[in-house]
């Protein structure tokens, strides 16, 4: 504004003077938290070396938060509820030279978004992946991409045996309650078929299986503090709800390496697993192991199970 000064003592008017106004804009900064707390390694966890992270409320990452009962223990459930886990099975054809040593990738396309390029590095079934006549299984995690519409799968054409005959791809999404089959039956080889090393494949509607969607549970297992309490066996769990509803038997470890790492004496191990929804009330659980390994005996102290209710608590 243009201001006029007060009158001088002699009461003579003073010419108005321009006033430089400094305007301060209060900027509100948004801070986003993207916690991970997981491995990015082929030989650890689910074998993925890249992850999509979703932002969570600041209260979830503060150790001593008292904001409406939120705590870091809820972090895994909060993230899991915002993401989708896909189990990807890949069948290599039973033909001569059908297997490949190339680096295989996949992209899932949904009605809302896509996953981007995901490298299929660590098979949960076979050490040597994409061999003739074999089925390999991988885990792919992504934020919500909507209904799965199509996939792109291919390889980088590297390695001594880079040609590949892909039979089919099966993708199971428990949180969506869908299992889709993507038939291929063609070569991904520059010297075979049409020379393409990547293909876009659509699901076969008649082979799509739908079921009740799974929900994430946080399961914490406490091993006792006595001599010989730990185990290297494959530990499993079953949850029972009301009206006779129960989950399938679920192994808590993804591989033998995790079996050797977890369930040590006086330890607490936390797992976020997707299981059938048994309702808001869990009446009992069944937990045990397969008795395998040199140190299979196990002294279990207690188990805690948590899940997110519809209101987000």
């Amino acid at each position: 504004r243009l201001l006029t000064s007060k009158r001088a003592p002699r009461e003579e008017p003073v010419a108005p003077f321009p006033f430089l106004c400094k305007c301060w804009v209060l900027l509100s900064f948004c801070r986003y938290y993207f916690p991970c707390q997981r491995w990015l390694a082929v030989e650890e966890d689910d074998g993925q070396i890249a992850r999509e992270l979703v932002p969570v409320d600041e209260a979830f990452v503060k150790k001593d938060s008292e904001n409406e009962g939120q705590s870091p223990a809820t972090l895994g459930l909060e993230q899991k509820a915002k993401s989708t886990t896909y189990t990807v099975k890949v069948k290599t054809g039973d033909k001569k030279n059908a297997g490949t040593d190339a680096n295989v990738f996949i992209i899932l396309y949904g009605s809302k978004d896509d996953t981007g390029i995901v490298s299929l590095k660590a098979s949960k079934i076979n050490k040597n992946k994409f061999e003739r006549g074999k089925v390999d299984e991988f885990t792919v995690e992504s934020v919500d991409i909507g209904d799965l519409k199509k996939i792109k799968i291919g390889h980088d054409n590297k390695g001594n045996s880079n040609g590949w005959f892909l039979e089919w791809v099966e993708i199971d999404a428990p949180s969506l309650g869908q299992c889709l089959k993507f038939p291929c039956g063609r070569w991904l080889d520059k010297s075979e078929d049409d020379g393409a090393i990547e293909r876009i494949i659509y699901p076969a509607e008649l082979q799509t299986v739908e079921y009740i969607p799974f929900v994430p549970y946080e399961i914490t297992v406490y091993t006792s503090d006595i001599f010989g309490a730990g185990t290297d066996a494959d530990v499993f769990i079953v949850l029972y709800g009301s009206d006779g509803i129960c989950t399938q038997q679920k192994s808590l470890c993804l591989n033998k390496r995790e079996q050797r790492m977890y369930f040590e004496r006086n330890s607490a191990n936390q797992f976020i697993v997707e299981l059938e929804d048994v309702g808001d009330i869990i009446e009992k659980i069944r937990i045990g192991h397969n008795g395998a390994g040199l140190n299979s005996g196990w002294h279990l102290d207690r188990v805690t199970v948590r899940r997110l209710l519809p209101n987000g608590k």
Side-chain angles (χ1 to χ4, degrees):
R1 294 179 177 179
L2 191 63
L3 301 179
T4 304
S5 67
K6 294 181 180 180
R7 289 183 178 276
R10 292 177 296 181
E11 296 185 355
E12 294 179 358
V14 179
F17 62 90
F19 179 79
L20 179 61
C21 178
K22 294 184 178 179
C23 297
W24 295 89
V25 179
L26 180 61
L27 297 178
S28 178
F29 292 94
C30 293
R31 179 175 295 179
Y32 294 90
Y33 290 88
F34 296 87
C36 184
Q37 299 179 4
R38 296 185 64 181
W39 285 98
L40 283 78
V42 173
E43 68 279 2
E44 299 283 0
D45 205 332
D46 58 6
Q48 292 299 312
I49 57 175
R51 298 195 182 280
E52 287 191 357
L53 304 179
V54 294
V56 299
D57 189 270
E58 182 179 356
F60 284 106
V61 296
K62 289 186 176 180
K63 293 185 178 180
D64 299 320
S65 172
E66 297 179 355
N67 183 18
E68 299 181 357
Q70 295 173 342
S71 68
T74 317
L75 176 59
L77 281 174
E78 173 75 6
Q79 287 186 297
K80 195 67 173 179
K82 293 182 178 180
S83 63
T84 302
T85 300
Y86 299 92
T87 298
V88 180
K89 292 184 178 180
V90 181
K91 172 67 182 298
T92 299
D94 190 10
K95 293 178 176 287
K96 183 179 180 180
N97 300 322
T100 184
D101 294 330
N103 298 305
V104 176
F105 69 87
I106 192 170
I107 304 174
L108 311 186
Y109 293 90
S111 57
K112 299 178 182 178
D113 202 353
D114 64 75
T115 62
I117 296 177
V118 179
S119 299
L120 301 181
K121 291 281 188 181
S123 173
K124 298 170 66 175
I125 301 177
N126 305 305
K127 184 176 181 180
N128 295 322
K129 54 188 181 294
F130 308 121
E131 293 295 312
R132 173 179 174 177
K134 299 292 185 179
V135 176
D136 293 286
E137 182 177 320
F138 306 87
T139 299
V140 175
E141 284 192 351
S142 172
V143 296
D144 182 19
I145 63 172
D147 295 332
L148 191 56
K149 298 297 185 181
K150 64 181 180 180
I151 65 171
K152 178 188 285 187
I153 189 167
H155 60 79
D156 60 2
N157 204 44
K158 294 182 179 180
N160 295 326
S161 301
N162 46 40
W164 185 34
F165 189 89
L166 173 62
E167 195 69 57
W168 49 257
V169 177
E170 182 183 274
I171 299 180
D172 187 15
S175 64
L176 303 179
Q178 278 191 334
C179 183
L180 298 92
K181 197 72 164 285
F182 297 80
C184 181
R186 298 183 66 178
W187 285 96
L188 283 79
D189 191 335
K190 287 190 173 182
S191 60
E192 297 283 354
D193 204 332
D194 59 359
I197 59 173
E198 60 182 44
R199 298 195 181 279
I200 293 178
I201 314 174
Y202 294 86
E205 293 185 4
L206 296 179
Q207 298 184 54
T208 298
V209 178
E210 295 186 349
Y211 53 91
I212 299 176
F214 285 22
V215 297
Y217 290 89
E218 175 196 273
I219 301 173
T220 307
V221 180
Y222 298 85
T223 300
S224 303
D225 186 16
I226 64 174
F227 179 76
T231 184
D232 292 333
D234 183 17
V235 175
F236 62 82
I237 193 169
V238 181
L239 309 183
Y240 292 84
S242 58
D243 300 325
I245 300 176
C246 68
T247 68
Q248 298 178 4
Q249 181 171 301
K250 175 71 173 182
S251 293
L252 296 179
C253 292
L254 296 175
N255 49 51
K256 291 184 178 180
R257 181 184 179 89
E258 288 191 357
Q259 293 175 25
R260 294 191 296 267
M261 292 172 55
Y262 298 148
F263 311 117
E264 295 296 312
R265 173 180 174 177
N266 193 31
S267 65
N269 303 115
Q270 186 179 98
F271 307 88
I272 305 295
V273 295
E274 288 181 331
L275 297 169
E276 295 88 341
D277 188 355
V278 298
D280 295 345
I281 299 176
I282 299 176
E283 293 190 343
K284 65 178 181 179
I285 68 171
R286 183 166 66 90
I287 188 168
H289 59 78
N290 64 352
L294 297 176
N295 302 305
S296 61
W298 184 36
H299 197 285
L300 173 64
D301 182 53
R302 67 190 188 276
V303 179
T304 62
V305 181
R306 291 156 47 91
R307 62 161 292 186
L308 282 178
L309 297 178
N311 60 6
K313 294 185 179 180

